[in-house]
Amino acid sequence: MKSYRKELWFTVPTRRAFINITPQVQECLYESGIAEGLILVNAMHITASVFINDDESGLHHDYEVWLEKLAPHEPVGQYRHNRGEDNADAHLKRQIMGREVVVAVSDGQLDFGTWEQIFYGEFDGGRRKRVLVKIIGE
Ligand code: ZN
């Protein structure tokens, strides 16, 4: 069995953003030389997510509105976590959007369902953060 590990780094200038990282994950898969197996992609920070969905701008706007209704950033004083920091909403948003995804690797390709793409969800940007890509298989 082969295994491959890589960290992808992101610095998002805005507080929140969704970035399609499918091309970088695909590049990792090519580098790994693995044709059959599993790929895990996870955020290594508790205020960021990795998730799979459609690369459609209307949907990403809808996520932003929905997440702000569930866990509004302001007023920051509404959260007990925000004693000395201001990112309680980012922890909550990360929880609902998820930590990681697992994708099957078949015939050297990411074995996606229709329209599936992998996204990095940033909820507390403005600093360097990383995503782990781990691939196992043959
Ligand atoms: Zn925090």
Side-chain angles (χ1 to χ4, degrees), residues 63-124:
Y63 277 139
E64 167 66 15
V65 171
W66 179 63
L67 289 167
E68 270 299 289
K69 270 187 210 158
L70 287 172
H73 176 63
E74 290 181 323
V76 295
Q78 73 189 299
Y79 300 105
R80 193 167 294 186
H81 178 69
N82 285 344
R83 289 181 184 153
E85 54 182 321
D86 68 349
N87 67 1
D89 67 303
H91 291 275
L92 298 173
K93 286 164 176 146
R94 183 273 170 108
Q95 202 69 41
I96 214 152
M97 296 304 282
R99 172 183 181 266
E100 78 278 305
V101 299
V102 176
V103 180
V105 174
S106 303
D107 206 14
Q109 302 296 318
L110 295 166
D111 202 343
F112 282 134
T114 308
W115 301 113
E116 285 190 333
Q117 295 282 286
I118 305 170
F119 292 90
Y120 174 69
E122 178 60 79
F123 306 116
D124 186 23

